[in-house]
Amino acid sequence: MRNSLLGILVLLVTLSSCSVNKYIPEGQSLYVGSKVKVQPDSITKPNVSGLASELEAIVKPPPNKTLLGFPWKVWWWYFIGEPKDEGGLRSWFRNKLGEAPKFATQRVADINAANMVSHLDNEAYYRSKATGKLIPSKKEKRRTAIYEFDTYIMPRYVMNEINYVVRDSSLFNRDLVLAKEKTLLKKGDPPRLDVILAERSRIDLELKGKGYYFFNPDYLIIKVDSTIGKMDSTLQAEQVNIFLEVKPQTAQNSLKQYFINKIYVNTGSQENLLADTTKGREPLRRGLNIKDPGNLYKRRIFYDAIGFRRGNMYTNTMHNVSLQRLINLQNFKFVKNQFDLVPRSDSALLDVRYDLEPLKKKALQTTISASTKSNNLGGSQLDVAWRNRNTFKGAEMLAVKAFFGFDVQLGGNREANPNRIGNEYIRYGIGADLSFPRFIIPFVRIRPEKSQALPKTILSVNYENRIQRGLYTTTSIRGDWSYIWSKNSEVEHTLTPISLNYIQPSNVNTERLGAIAQNPNTNPVDIKRLLDLVDQKYFIASSNYTISFRPRPKPFAKNQYAFTGGIDYGGNLLSLLAKRAKGDSLGIYAKEFLQVPVLQYVKLDGDVRYYRTLTPGIKWANRLLLGAIKPYGNSKNMTTPQFKQYFGGGSTGIRAFRARALGPGAYTPDTTSISLIGYQNFADIRMEFNTELRLKFTNVINGALFMDAGNIWSFGSPERASYDSSAIISKDFIKQIAVGGGFGLRFDFSFLIFRIDLATPFRKPWYTKEIVSQTPEGEITYKNPWVFNEVNFRNKAWRRENLILNIAVGLPF
C-alpha cells in the first residue's frame, strides 16, 4: 500500500512538472536556489567559518519554492490563471497558494556577485572577489536553474588606532572628543560598516544631549587608513587606523548649543478653533504658554509632564521624556512636537510647541478571552471596563471593571475522568482603580526636569468570589494604595505601603466534605489540608515593594538581562491591635482582629532572566525563579494561606507536570484525593530554572527546545504545613528536584503569540521515597527518580500520564 502511494505521488509530481514547463518561455529557467563556494586566500588563510551561509543570505530575490524539486507554488500561479478582478476570490487564491515565477538570468547573478563584494568590504574583508554563474538543472525535463557563486576571501582587517580629529579647542570639538569615552570602535575589532554607522548615531545622540539640536550624524565622516601595515613593519599587515572628523562643509549653526526660549501648549480642544479671535495670549508661567479655552485640564499636568524650562539647555533626553510623559497620560490621541529657531541674528534660542488632540473622556470596553491549562482545564472570561480619562481635570484615570469567568475540565465525562469532580471553577467580581499621574504624599514633590517618568499613585478596591464547584466559595475584599516611579527607562519601583485584604470561605458543601473525610482511601493529610482551607478566615494588613531592572542592551550586544525582585511583609502593626482568642493563654493560635486571625509574615521573590542571541535565527532564553513565604510571630503556627503560596508545573512553569500537580518535595497525593479535589498542591518555597532554545523557522512559525527543573517545599513542621515530612525542605532538598523537557511551536501573529508545548518528565522527585526492595538487614533501595528507562510511546497509559500538552498565549518567559 505504501509503495502504491509513493508511486502515485511520484507520478503526480512528474505530470505536474510537465504542466509547469509549458508555461515557461523558451530559453528561460525558473530560479530555485543558490550555492556559495568560499575559497580563503592560500597565503594568509583567513578564517571563513560561517561566511558561506552569511553570503547566501544576501542573495536576492528569494528563489521559487520547490517540493522534491517541483516548483509547486509557481504551478498554482499558472493553474489558477490571470484573475479578472484583482480583489476577487480567484486573485486571493492565486496570491495565497501561488507565487509569480522568478527566472534565472546571468545579469541577476552578476548583480548579486557585486553585492557580495560590497558586503565583504563592509565586513572588512578588503580586496576580496566574487563571481556568479547560472547553472541549469541537469535533468532536461526540469526547466530550473540555480546561481553558483565563487568567492575568493582575503584576510579580514582589524582596527589599530581610533582617532577623533578636531581642528581647534572650541566647545563643540571638546564635546566631540569627550564622546570618544563610550566609543563602539574597539582596537582589535574589524571596522564593520554597521558598527561605524552605529558609532555615528551614538555620537549624534550624545551631542544632542548637550544642546546641539541641529547636528546630524551625516555631518561625520570616518576615514580608514589601510596602509599602516606597509609603513610600519612592527604592525601586522591587516590593520587599519580610523580617523573620525566633522565634514568641513558643515554649517556653523549645527555646531552650536541651543537653549529653550518659550514653550507653547495647545490642548487641541474644539474651543481652540476660535481661540485667537475670542481671547488674548494666555499668561506665561514657568516658561509655559498654555492654550486651553475649553478649560479641560489643570495646568499642573503640563508643568509636570514637560521637563523643559525657559533658559534650560536643549537635550534630546528631555525632548523624548517629555513626549513620552504626555503620551503616557493616556489623555491625548496624538502629541505633535515642534522646535522653532527664534528669528534673530546669531540666535541660539528655540521655541517649543506641543499640539495635543484629546481622546474621548469616557470609554467602555468589553473583552472576551479563552484559555487552556496544563491540568486539562479550559475556560473563558468576560471583562467589562468603564474608564474616565480625566476625572478631576488632572489626567486622573478612573477605571471600573467587572468580570465573570469559568474553568471546566476538558475531555471525558465525570465517570470516565474523575479529575473533573471538584476541579471546576467559577469566578466573578468587581473593582475600581483610580490613578493619579503624581505622588499623593504631603511635602513630597518630584521635579519633572530631574526624573525620566512621571510617578503614579494608584488607589484600588476589588471584590472577588471564586467558586470551586461542589466544594466551597472564597470571597476576597482587597484595597491597595500604591506608588510607581522610575528615574530612567531601565529601573522601575513599586511601593504599596497599605494593602488590606480580607479572605473568607463560605457556602461550604458539608456533604461533600463529609464524604471525603469518611472515605477510607483518602489520605488523612489531604483531609486536614482541605478542612483548614475551607475553615480559615484571614485578615491581612501588609506592605510590599518591588523593583524591576531591565538594562537596555548595547548596539550589537548578544546578551540581554532582566531582574525583578520584591519583598512583601504584613501583620506587624495590626498584630499590636489584635487580641488573643479566648482560652488561648499559651499563645498557640494567632491573634485576632475583629474575631479574624491576623497573618504575620514575610515573603521574598526574585526573577532573573538571561537571553543570548546565538545566531539571527536562534536565541537562548533562561529564567531563574526563587521565592519563599515565612509566617512568624503570632502566626508561626498558622497554615500559610493558599493564595500567598506557590505551586509547581503548568504552561509557564515546569511544563512536564500539570499545574499544581508537582510537590511539595517528594510528596504526591493519592489518586483518591486527586479524584475528589483535583490537583491542589501548594507550598511556601519555590525554586525553578527554565532554559530553552528558540528557533526561528519563518516570520510566523517558530520552534523551541526546552528543559525545566525545580520544585516547591514547605517550612516548619508537617502539622503546620498539612503535609507529611517528605514535603518539608531539608538539607537534601536538591535530591527532590523535578526535571522535564520537550519541544514546542510558536505562531507569531504580531499582535499575539500562540504557543503549543509538548513536554515529558525526566525526573520524578516522589520516586525517591518509593521502596523497590528491602533486605533482611534493613538496607532499602528506592526507585530511581530518573525515568528515561520508562519511556514507552506505544503504551497508551504511559502517554496519558507522561505526555503533557500545554496550549497558551504568549511566551513562557
Side-chain angles (χ1 to χ4, degrees):
M1 183 64 180
R2 290 184 177 178
N3 292 335
S4 300
L5 290 175
L6 183 60
I8 293 172
L9 179 62
V10 172
L11 178 62
L12 288 175
V13 171
T14 303
L15 293 175
S16 299
S17 180
C18 294
S19 65
V20 172
N21 289 342
K22 67 182 181 181
Y23 298 112
I24 300 175
E26 190 66 30
Q28 297 281 3
S29 297
L30 288 176
Y31 165 50
V32 294
S34 61
K35 182 179 180 181
V36 178
K37 296 180 180 179
V38 174
Q39 181 183 351
D41 179 58
S42 58
I43 299 176
T44 56
K45 297 180 179 179
N47 182 13
V48 295
S49 176
L51 195 55
S53 57
E54 182 180 327
L55 292 173
E56 191 169 342
I58 68 173
V59 177
K60 303 295 179 189
N64 294 288
K65 290 184 173 59
T66 60
L67 177 63
L68 301 177
F70 167 52
W72 60 280
K73 298 201 76 172
V74 174
W75 179 81
W76 273 111
W77 176 272
Y78 284 123
F79 178 78
I80 295 173
E82 191 71 29
K84 295 181 180 179
D85 182 7
E86 287 297 327
L89 185 62
R90 188 175 183 180
S91 176
W92 185 87
F93 272 109
R94 194 186 202 205
N95 292 326
K96 289 295 181 181
L97 298 179
E99 67 177 1
K102 304 180 186 75
F103 299 111
T105 65
Q106 184 59 44
R107 180 174 177 273
V108 174
D110 293 339
I111 292 174
N112 276 288
N115 290 340
M116 287 182 183
V117 173
S118 298
H119 178 79
L120 291 168
D121 283 342
N122 294 339
E123 292 295 312
Y125 294 99
Y126 302 135
R127 297 181 291 110
S128 297
K129 299 178 182 179
T131 58
K133 55 185 175 181
L134 189 152
I135 307 296
S137 173
K138 295 181 180 180
K139 296 182 180 180
E140 296 181 359
K141 293 183 178 181
R142 288 187 180 175
R143 302 274 296 278
T144 61
I146 66 170
Y147 294 139
E148 188 175 282
F149 299 94
D150 294 313
T151 58
Y152 189 83
I153 309 300
M154 298 299 290
R156 196 175 200 180
Y157 281 72
V158 297
M159 290 179 281
N160 177 51
E161 292 181 358
I162 297 92
N163 303 285
Y164 279 35
V165 181
V166 294
R167 293 178 174 82
D168 53 47
S169 59
S170 66
L171 181 60
F172 173 84
N173 285 333
R174 279 184 287 171
D175 288 334
L176 177 62
V177 173
L178 287 175
K180 185 180 179 181
E181 292 180 7
K182 298 180 180 179
T183 181
L184 302 177
L185 305 176
K186 306 295 183 182
K187 182 175 181 178
D189 288 352
R192 297 167 52 201
L193 178 64
D194 52 1
V195 178
I196 289 174
L197 294 176
E199 173 70 358
R200 295 203 313 170
S201 298
R202 184 195 65 81
I203 295 172
D204 174 61
L205 289 175
E206 190 161 332
L207 291 174
K208 279 188 167 65
K210 296 181 179 180
Y212 299 97
Y213 174 74
F214 289 105
F215 193 78
N216 189 294
D218 290 336
Y219 298 153
L220 293 172
I221 185 171
I222 294 181
K223 300 176 181 179
V224 179
D225 182 2
S226 61
T227 65
I228 60 171
K230 298 178 181 179
M231 304 291 292
D232 188 345
S233 59
T234 63
L235 298 176
Q236 295 180 4
E238 293 78 29
Q239 292 199 44
V240 297
N241 282 345
I242 301 295
F243 299 90
L244 182 146
E245 58 184 277
V246 177
K247 294 178 180 178
Q249 62 269 30
T250 302
Q252 285 301 308
N253 68 338
S254 300
L255 310 180
K256 184 191 301 183
Q257 287 180 321
Y258 288 85
F259 296 81
I260 302 301
N261 182 40
K262 295 180 180 179
I263 301 110
Y264 299 93
V265 180
N266 180 357
T267 65
S269 56
Q270 286 295 115
E271 290 82 355
N272 276 356
L273 296 174
L274 301 175
D276 293 336
T277 58
T278 59
K279 291 192 176 185
R281 183 176 294 275
E282 297 287 341
L284 190 68
R285 294 183 58 192
R286 302 187 192 179
L288 272 71
N289 186 300
I290 301 171
K291 289 186 177 181
D292 183 23
N295 195 27
L296 300 180
Y297 304 98
K298 293 178 180 178
R299 295 176 178 271
R300 176 178 176 175
I301 69 171
F302 303 113
Y303 300 150
D304 289 347
I306 298 172
F308 286 122
R309 294 292 181 264
R310 190 172 188 179
N312 286 1
M313 180 189 295
Y314 165 85
T315 69
N316 59 336
T317 302
M318 192 52 64
H319 178 180
N320 296 330
V321 164
S322 299
L323 283 175
Q324 196 63 42
R325 287 174 181 167
L326 289 169
I327 293 170
N328 287 343
L329 290 174
Q330 300 181 40
N331 269 248
F332 305 107
K333 188 179 299 183
F334 70 78
V335 179
K336 183 179 179 182
N337 182 211
Q338 179 179 331
F339 290 84
D340 298 322
L341 182 65
V342 174
R344 72 184 194 193
S345 61
D346 198 30
S347 174
L349 297 176
L350 297 172
D351 284 339
V352 190
R353 301 182 186 276
Y354 294 94
D355 292 315
L356 316 174
E357 181 176 345
L359 282 165
K360 190 175 180 180
K361 183 177 180 180
K362 299 176 182 179
L364 182 66
Q365 182 179 15
T366 302
T367 305
I368 299 178
S369 60
S371 63
T372 59
K373 302 176 182 178
S374 60
N375 56 350
N376 293 331
L377 287 179
S380 181
Q381 182 163 309
L382 172 67
D383 294 273
V384 180
W386 176 84
R387 288 183 174 84
N388 187 328
R389 301 180 188 277
N390 193 26
T391 308
F392 306 117
K393 294 188 176 182
E396 300 87 358
M397 177 75 73
L398 173 63
V400 179
K401 298 170 285 186
F403 69 90
F404 176 84
F406 61 89
D407 290 312
V408 297
Q409 193 73 39
L410 300 177
N413 53 41
R414 292 182 184 271
E415 290 74 27
N417 190 350
N419 293 358
R420 184 171 181 171
I421 301 174
N423 199 27
E424 298 183 339
Y425 303 88
I426 295 175
R427 55 192 180 277
Y428 61 89
I430 189 170
D433 296 332
L434 180 59
S435 173
F436 301 85
R438 64 191 70 90
F439 273 151
I440 308 297
I441 307 178
F443 314 113
V444 175
R445 182 176 176 84
I446 296 294
R447 296 182 62 185
E449 65 272 21
K450 297 295 184 181
S451 59
Q452 280 275 337
L454 289 179
K456 287 185 180 181
T457 302
I458 302 176
L459 173 63
S460 63
V461 180
N462 294 280
Y463 171 86
E464 179 181 351
N465 269 344
R466 183 175 180 268
I467 303 172
Q468 186 171 346
R469 294 181 61 184
L471 282 179
Y472 70 104
T473 300
T474 301
T475 301
S476 172
I477 303 174
R478 178 168 184 151
D480 295 315
W481 186 281
S482 303
Y483 300 102
I484 302 175
W485 75 97
S486 58
K487 288 190 175 181
N488 55 57
S489 60
E490 295 183 343
V491 182
E492 182 178 86
H493 307 267
T494 302
L495 174 65
T496 304
I498 302 174
S499 178
L500 301 176
N501 196 191
Y502 174 73
I503 308 293
Q504 177 181 355
S506 61
N507 301 327
V508 178
N509 188 332
T510 55
E511 183 179 348
R512 173 63 61 82
L513 286 177
I516 294 173
Q518 295 172 13
N519 190 325
N521 297 319
T522 307
N523 190 333
V525 174
D526 292 334
I527 295 175
K528 180 182 181 304
R529 188 168 68 256
L530 180 60
L531 292 177
D532 289 343
L533 190 64
V534 302
D535 186 56
Q536 187 67 67
K537 298 178 182 179
Y538 294 96
F539 195 96
I540 302 174
S542 63
S543 302
N544 59 74
Y545 167 75
T546 302
I547 182 172
S548 175
F549 176 53
R550 298 179 179 275
R552 184 180 302 170
K554 296 180 179 179
F556 314 108
K558 294 183 177 181
N559 301 316
Q560 187 175 351
Y561 306 88
F563 167 76
T564 302
I567 180 172
D568 180 10
Y569 59 94
N572 294 336
L573 294 177
L574 197 59
S575 63
L576 298 177
L577 305 175
K579 299 179 180 180
R580 293 288 180 192
K582 292 182 179 181
D584 183 25
S585 58
L586 298 178
I588 298 175
Y589 304 105
K591 292 181 180 180
E592 295 182 350
F593 179 76
L594 301 178
Q595 297 184 340
V596 178
V598 173
L599 178 65
Q600 194 172 6
Y601 71 96
V602 61
K603 184 179 183 182
L604 299 171
D605 285 286
D607 181 338
V608 181
R609 305 186 184 191
Y610 167 67
Y611 305 91
R612 180 173 177 83
T613 302
L614 302 178
T615 70
I618 303 178
K619 192 172 186 178
W620 184 29
N622 302 270
R623 178 182 66 177
L624 175 64
L625 289 174
L626 298 173
I629 179 171
K630 176 75 171 177
Y632 69 96
N634 88 96
S635 305
K636 61 184 178 181
N637 297 319
M638 288 181 66
T639 301
T640 309
Q642 191 178 90
F643 60 90
K644 286 287 188 180
Q645 291 183 310
Y646 307 95
F647 67 86
S651 60
T652 59
I654 305 176
R655 286 160 280 185
F657 300 86
R658 294 179 176 85
R660 302 186 289 277
L662 177 62
Y667 177 82
T668 180
D670 56 45
T671 55
T672 302
S673 299
I674 295 174
S675 68
L676 291 170
I677 60 175
Y679 295 109
Q680 297 291 337
N681 296 358
F682 293 82
D684 306 322
I685 305 170
R686 173 179 61 182
M687 299 181 188
E688 184 176 318
F689 175 73
N690 316 94
T691 183
E692 67 178 34
L693 280 176
R694 295 173 180 171
L695 314 171
K696 185 174 182 179
F697 299 145
T698 69
N699 289 334
V700 175
I701 303 175
N702 300 322
L705 298 173
F706 60 85
M707 187 182 73
D708 308 314
N711 206 338
I712 58 175
W713 292 267
S714 289
F715 273 125
S717 66
E719 291 75 18
R720 189 201 72 83
S722 295
Y723 291 102
D724 63 31
S725 59
S726 64
I728 307 303
I729 193 166
S730 67
K731 62 180 181 180
D732 295 326
F733 74 91
I734 198 69
K735 297 179 180 179
Q736 298 173 347
I737 294 292
V739 183
F743 63 90
L745 288 175
R746 289 91 165 90
F747 300 91
D748 189 348
F749 300 109
S750 298
F751 57 92
L752 65 85
I753 297 177
F754 183 73
R755 173 166 57 92
I756 301 175
D757 288 332
L758 183 64
T760 187
F762 297 160
R763 193 177 194 276
K764 297 180 178 180
W766 59 88
Y767 277 17
T768 58
K769 70 171 188 176
E770 292 189 11
I771 299 175
V772 176
S773 63
Q774 184 173 0
T775 66
E777 292 77 17
E779 293 183 2
I780 300 175
T781 302
Y782 292 95
K783 206 169 183 179
N784 186 354
W786 294 98
V787 295
F788 294 110
N789 61 329
E790 295 183 0
V791 175
N792 187 357
F793 290 101
R794 295 183 179 181
N795 187 294
K796 186 176 181 180
W798 181 90
R799 295 197 305 269
R800 184 186 302 113
E801 180 183 351
N802 294 280
L803 292 183
I804 309 300
L805 182 65
N806 296 277
I807 301 175
V809 174
L811 295 174
F813 56 91

